[in-house]
Amino acid sequence: MSQDRARASGLVLPNAIVSAGLLVLIGAAGAGKSTLAAAWPARQVLSLDAFREMVSDDPCDQDATAAALAALEAVLVARLAMRRRCVVDATNTTREERAWLLAAADATGTAAAALVLRTPLAECLARNALRPGPLPGREFGRRVPEEVLRRQFTAVAALTGAGLRDEGFAAAVAATPAATGWSVDMAPTPLPTASAPAA
Ligand SMILES: Nc1ncnc2c1ncn2[C@@H]1O[C@H](COP(=O)(O)OP(=O)(O)OP(=O)(O)O)[C@@H](O)[C@H]1O
Ligand SMILES: [Mg+2]
């Protein structure tokens, strides 16, 4: 991301994040990942929704996830092998979801960085509620089930910089929406339990 793009998105990132060959966005549905990803050149952004649409004509079709992930992985490995930056736009809230991305980085000798979006749960829920449900005849819509979103948020709240480095990330930061864009935490620790959703 260029400095101009960084300023345009209201997010100023440390060099270890900006220079990583693989940047993994992590955040619950509605956290703002895709909006933020638009700060990078479109060709660098590998969006799971976009791959779902490529393979099934429907970005929301959860039944297309396995095929979409396979296609995304193929492009990811090809780009990383060619030393081309990749920004992975998917929720990536579980360790398993991140492990294969790190394996692709490892296999290609690429440094991987994590950018955790810590948008408050209430904001994610409000944005999700405004999204359309399934179109007639479709099983899935842009709105995700609330319990799924709460689970994703809880997983994101528990992430730490040290934990992400243990997983294999060379660098990890967390960003929280602030009055003027995003406030970046260079050494993320778990969110206080008061910010976590009720069970
Ligand atoms: N910084 C922001 N300020 C205000 N609104 C925002 C901001 N970022 C995103 N939004 C709005 O929040 C909604 C969700 O954002 P976005 O689609 O980027 O989330 P996402 O993390 O990609 O969600 P998903 O995982 O479901 O794809 C959009 O309507 C977007 O316009
Ligand atoms: Mg998105």
Side-chain angles (χ1 to χ4, degrees):
M1 179 159 68
S2 71
Q3 285 308 318
D4 284 352
R5 282 175 184 274
R7 275 191 215 103
S9 68
L11 178 71
V12 179
L13 293 169
N15 228 1
I17 301 290
V18 175
S19 64
L22 171 62
L23 178 60
V24 176
L25 303 184
I26 302 172
K33 300 177 297 296
S34 301
T35 304
L36 192 60
W40 279 266
R43 64 184 178 277
Q44 296 183 4
V45 178
L46 306 185
S47 149
L48 182 55
D49 284 344
F51 276 90
R52 276 199 200 95
E53 186 166 28
M54 265 183 255
V55 300
S56 74
D57 287 345
D58 180 356
C60 309
D61 185 354
Q62 302 302 311
D63 292 338
T65 300
L69 283 171
L72 191 157
E73 184 176 21
V75 177
L76 176 71
V77 171
R79 283 187 60 88
L80 294 183
M82 292 190 174
R83 298 280 168 262
R84 297 295 185 265
R85 174 164 302 123
C86 294
V87 179
V88 177
D89 173 13
T91 50
N92 297 318
T93 55
T94 68
R95 194 180 175 115
E96 295 69 37
E97 286 167 326
R98 297 187 291 270
W100 67 271
L101 297 170
L102 286 163
D106 195 43
T108 53
T110 306
L115 172 53
V116 181
L117 272 64
R118 282 184 161 171
T119 308
L121 176 64
E123 222 162 303
C124 296
L125 288 171
R127 290 172 180 173
N128 187 52
L130 289 174
R131 287 175 162 177
L135 292 170
R138 294 263 169 90
E139 189 183 349
F140 303 102
R142 285 292 290 134
R143 194 185 313 135
V144 305
E146 190 175 310
E147 67 273 17
V148 172
L149 197 160
R150 285 179 178 274
R151 207 181 313 130
Q152 292 170 342
F153 180 86
T154 303
V156 171
L159 291 172
T160 67
L164 289 165
R165 280 193 298 279
D166 278 351
E167 287 182 29
F169 287 100
V173 296
T176 307
T180 53
W182 295 86
S183 149
V184 175
D185 180 355
M186 312 284 281
T189 51
L191 287 183
T193 35
S195 302

